């Protein structure tokens, strides 16, 4: 093994087949990307975190429970259970999804929209439109 490196940013490391150069300079850190990428609109507010992040564990737990309900529904159909029993379970699952949706909407309004309105301008207008559109989708569903 050589005591002098081949370049100021490399050192020789002895391997079974001979010497190889290994970089010793630190690798550049990957760029920090926000948790939300800009959307298709002309202006987008990028948050370091979303409004639901404080309740993320609870949301995930609820969604996993809903996932279990969906598997249960599949089993009910596969086992040819009574139609009304399946519809009752679909209603329960729908209510659970609506509850998650309303919680996320509330978190979005209290975090993303409030923050955007405080900033004002086109960002506020866009966030209000996004929220209005999301509410309209929920109402239609």
């Amino acid at each position: 093994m050589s005591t002098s490196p081949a370049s100021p940013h490399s050192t020789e490391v002895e391997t079974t087949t001979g010497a190889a150069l290994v970089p010793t300079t630190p690798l550049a850190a990957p760029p920090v990307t926000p948790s939300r990428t800009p959307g298709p609109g002309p202006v987008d507010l990028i948050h370091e975190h979303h409004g639901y992040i404080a309740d993320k564990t609870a949301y995930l737990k609820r969604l996993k429970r809903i996932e279990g309900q969906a598997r249960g529904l599949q089993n009910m159909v596969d086992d040819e259970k009574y139609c009304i029993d399946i519809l009752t379970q679909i209603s329960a699952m729908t209510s659970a999804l609506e509850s998650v949706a309303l919680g996320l909407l509330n978190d979005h309004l209290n975090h993303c929209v409030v923050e955007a309105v405080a900033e004002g301008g086109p960002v506020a207008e866009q966030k209000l439109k996004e929220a209005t559109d999301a509410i309209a989708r929920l109402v239609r569903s």
Side-chain angles (χ1 to χ4, degrees):
M1 186 160 148
S2 172
T3 57
S4 64
S7 79
H9 299 294
S10 301
T11 56
E12 286 185 32
V13 175
E14 192 172 324
T15 64
T16 56
T17 60
L21 293 179
V22 178
T24 57
T25 56
L27 298 174
V32 176
T33 55
S35 59
R36 180 160 188 250
T37 56
V43 177
D44 196 18
L45 181 64
I46 299 175
H47 298 286
E48 295 201 17
H49 62 80
H50 300 292
Y52 66 84
I53 206 74
D55 297 322
K56 179 180 175 181
T57 302
Y59 281 121
L60 287 173
K61 184 177 179 180
R62 291 165 78 186
L63 289 169
K64 287 177 183 178
R65 190 175 308 128
I66 293 167
E67 181 181 24
Q69 287 178 297
R71 282 192 305 274
L73 282 167
Q74 292 170 355
N75 291 336
M76 290 178 78
V77 171
D78 190 43
D79 296 341
E80 299 176 6
K81 297 293 182 184
Y82 185 55
C83 303
I84 297 301
D85 292 340
I86 296 171
L87 290 170
T88 300
Q89 291 305 311
I90 289 173
S91 177
M93 188 173 160
T94 301
S95 293
L97 278 170
E98 287 173 352
S99 176
V100 170
L102 289 173
L104 286 169
L105 179 61
N106 184 56
D107 289 343
H108 179 69
L109 291 172
N110 287 313
H111 179 264
C112 302
V113 174
V114 166
E115 190 175 288
V117 168
E119 186 176 319
V123 171
E125 292 172 21
Q126 180 188 1
K127 288 298 175 189
L128 287 170
K129 180 166 179 8
E130 283 178 351
T132 302
D133 292 346
I135 292 167
R137 285 190 303 271
L138 286 171
V139 170
R140 283 191 302 263
S141 62

